[in-house]
Amino acid sequence: MEPAQLSQAFAGARAMDYRGLSITMPHKVAALALVDEVDETARAIGCINTVVNQNGRLRGANVDGLGALGALRHAGADPTGRRVLMLGSGGAARALAITIGLFAKPAELTILGAIEDELARLARDVAERTGCKVAAEMLTDASLADGLAKAQILLHCTPVGMKPDSERSLVPRDRLHSDLVVFDAVYNHAGLCSSATQPQRVAG
């Protein structure tokens, strides 16, 4: 769907009384202006990926971060009070970082990214909107090694691992350690039924 068609799609959903919509890239930000209500988490994140029709009113939400947080807690890896390292500063990272900052309050959240202005904006938004302690650095071999050595939870939120980089990883296996839980937000055909998007504790 072209961005210009988005408002027509929402009008059609209203007219046909759809129960809900799933919003994907690149429409997550633009869709904010087309709903009647936005929940607290989505407003803090700045985009929506889910729309629910409640008696004719469209309510926007962002469930990416809540899904990730729920998976971590289900696996016994609640970020609350823990040292969390996040790789990436795009949409997935924003959803997870702000949700975790709002509802889990890690001891510290370190974000490593490759796009300087995007990284700085995310770190500022997380700190201002959640009160979470945030550090941001450019992703380099040195910052990655230092961050991994200190981290208890690693959140991978970059596109690396998806096509066309499906065989690549940002994290050398020898830098993982037995006290680290890894959550990979990457999904692809091979990963849908594997460990992708499932928290995994590194074997010692």
Side-chain angles (χ1 to χ4, degrees), residues 14 68 77 122 183-184 197:
R14 287 180 188 273
L122 175 58
F183 180 93
D184 194 348
T197 73

Side-chain angles (χ1 to χ4, degrees), residues 139 156-171 184-188:
L139 176 58
H156 175 246
C157 301
T158 82
V160 176
M162 297 183 71
K163 291 181 179 180
D165 297 318
S166 56
E167 302 303 316
R168 288 186 58 212
S169 172
L170 286 176
V171 183
D184 194 348
V186 166
Y187 57 90
N188 52 40

Side-chain angles (χ1 to χ4, degrees), residues 77-157:
D78 191 330
T80 303
R82 297 194 182 187
R83 296 184 300 277
V84 178
L85 175 65
M86 173 174 285
L87 306 184
S89 56
R94 172 170 287 272
L96 269 65
I98 289 181
T99 302
I100 287 173
L102 284 172
F103 299 110
K105 302 298 182 188
E108 59 185 52
L109 172 62
T110 300
I111 307 174
L112 304 182
I115 304 173
E116 189 172 5
D117 58 340
E118 180 182 79
L119 175 64
R121 186 167 59 250
L122 175 58
R124 182 188 66 241
D125 288 349
V126 173
E128 291 178 353
R129 298 175 190 182
T130 74
C132 181
K133 179 181 177 183
V134 184
E137 297 183 52
M138 295 301 291
L139 176 58
T140 64
D141 287 342
S143 65
L144 178 61
D146 183 61
L148 285 170
K150 299 173 183 177
Q152 295 170 291
I153 298 176
L154 170 64
L155 306 175
H156 175 246
C157 301

